[in-house]
Amino acid sequence: MAPTAGNLRRVDPTRPRGRPYNAFACFTASRLGFWLSRTIGWRVDPYLLRATGGRLGTGMFIPTALLETTGARSGEPRRNGVIYFHDGERPTIVASKAGAPEHPAWFFNARTNTEVKLNGRPYRAEIVSDEAERARLWALADNVFPPFERYRREAAEVGRTIPILQLTARAGAPLSTTG
């Protein structure tokens, strides 16, 4: 079952997160959590998110949605679970790949083919390049998923700047729901 438009939960990045949320986020960035994410989560999430209309992913507390891109080389549809939050009406996603030396494949797809879907809703992806805007968005992103700060440092150690993408709803696409 494909996710239907209308089920992208609004994620307020300024809302305080509780101890269970922060503990789970820190666990996901631990050695064991990272291993589970890389060996199981990234493979299961696209199917789980799609089957539940974006309501359930392996990230549990962490706001995760199904990003659908078109392969940059293949032209084939690709699906990945991504952490997201809202900046105003724009969903924002971070191409962290847990601080790895290379960008995630979905980033290259979204950069090449900017028409994407998030939980079944059509958007246009834009890479944020203005440094002041990036700094502002990083402050929000770190509140949603504290390990992003460590990922940024690790990526910088190997010379990689982690991209931030903002999504703009395409004409006629419904906006996010409150939740």
Side-chain angles (χ1 to χ4, degrees), residues 5-153:
N7 61 3
L8 183 64
R9 182 175 58 93
R10 181 166 186 73
V11 177
D12 178 358
T14 63
R15 184 178 63 83
R17 290 350 193 230
R19 284 186 188 186
Y21 181 97
N22 287 327
F24 185 75
C26 288
F27 169 74
T28 63
S30 71
R31 214 174 254 247
L32 175 60
F34 180 75
W35 180 83
L36 288 169
S37 174
R38 298 309 299 163
T39 58
I40 299 169
W42 75 273
R43 293 177 187 187
V44 171
D45 262 349
Y47 299 104
L48 189 57
L49 288 163
R50 191 164 190 214
T52 64
R55 289 182 304 276
L56 181 64
T58 60
M60 294 172 50
F61 302 117
I62 311 301
T64 309
L66 182 65
L67 177 68
E68 298 177 71
T69 60
T70 301
R73 288 188 215 137
S74 70
E76 296 294 321
R78 303 289 184 223
R79 294 177 182 90
N80 299 90
V82 295
I83 297 171
Y84 76 99
F85 62 92
H86 283 83
D87 179 39
E89 290 301 320
R90 299 178 75 182
T92 303
I93 55 178
V94 175
S96 71
K97 197 172 182 183
E102 68 282 342
H103 298 316
W106 65 257
F107 168 74
F108 295 106
N109 296 342
R111 185 179 66 185
T112 301
N113 301 301
T114 61
E115 301 298 317
V116 302
K117 289 183 180 179
L118 192 64
N119 270 18
R121 295 176 184 207
Y123 291 94
R124 179 176 301 278
E126 299 172 26
I127 300 167
V128 178
S129 57
D130 179 76
E131 285 307 314
E133 184 65 0
R134 286 176 50 79
R136 184 183 73 77
L137 291 171
W138 273 122
L140 298 174
D142 291 346
N143 190 50
V144 171
F145 189 66
F148 277 149
E149 184 179 3
R150 188 180 97 212
Y151 296 169
R152 226 171 19 261
R153 280 194 318 272

Side-chain angles (χ1 to χ4, degrees), residues 161-172:
T161 299
I162 296 176
I164 299 174
L165 287 83
Q166 289 204 300
L167 308 180
T168 303
R170 294 199 324 244

